[in-house]
Amino acid sequence: MGSTTIMINTYNESKLHRTLKELYQIQGDGETEVPIGTYICDVVEKSGNVVEIQTKNLGKLMAKLYALHEAGRKVLLVHPLPAVTIIETCTEDGEPVSRRKSPKKQNWYTLFTELMGIYPLLTENWFQLEVLLVTVKEKRIRTAEPVQLKNNSRRFKKNWYREDKELIEITETRRFSCPQDYLALLPEHPDVFCAKDLAGLAGANTAHKIIWVLKKAGIIAPVKKEGRTTYYGVVQ
């Protein structure tokens, strides 16, 4: 039996994903939707390096990324973080209902929630992560009756569903290629630090995620404990 190529459903591809794919295809003078082994890659640059665009759930790409590495490819994973989301709601007939900014805002620190799914890759020399702070427009359709989503992910039905998400602007870009790039995200800290030292800017919950990711990736390690507090230092 021959191998089966794992396809993506381009009909379900968001405008956000498609726009970024086209931008990186032009930037790398490459091609889109290229099969490598059993996978279809978003972009393969002229150099042969692979660019994958993932808007959320980075951990779901782990098997694919390792397979591309086994195929001798270097990989750039591109992840947009919506710092600003504009929500436009219309009726099913296309009549405007409302336009507002979402209170949810992501930043460099909230990135660590996604990094929990890919921490083994952060020190690999064949892997790079490019993170974009973006403004996006989310289009929602107001329905007459509460509805469930196609993937049945809602605990309770709601009277709207998201039709698409569109890129409005890229406001900042950072590329992560080595441990120092991730450490540079941390607020200023002493050589030995604990989660509380990071909580001022990142928040307590996110501070613990930062510590967890950097420790699991082998970028920091425990150096001492005072009471119930563990202190960490950068692994040299």
Side-chain angles (χ1 to χ4, degrees), residues 10 14 41 61 63 78 89 107 116 122 136 162 187 215 226:
T10 53
S14 70
C41 300
L61 280 187
V78 177
T89 303
N107 56 45
M116 294 175 76
L122 304 189
V136 297
R162 187 177 71 199
K215 182 178 70 172
E226 294 182 359

Side-chain angles (χ1 to χ4, degrees), residues 9 17 51 78 111 116 135 145 151 179 197 232:
N9 187 348
H17 187 281
V51 180
V78 177
L111 168 65
M116 294 175 76
T135 298
E145 300 292 336
N151 61 4
D197 294 322
Y232 298 86

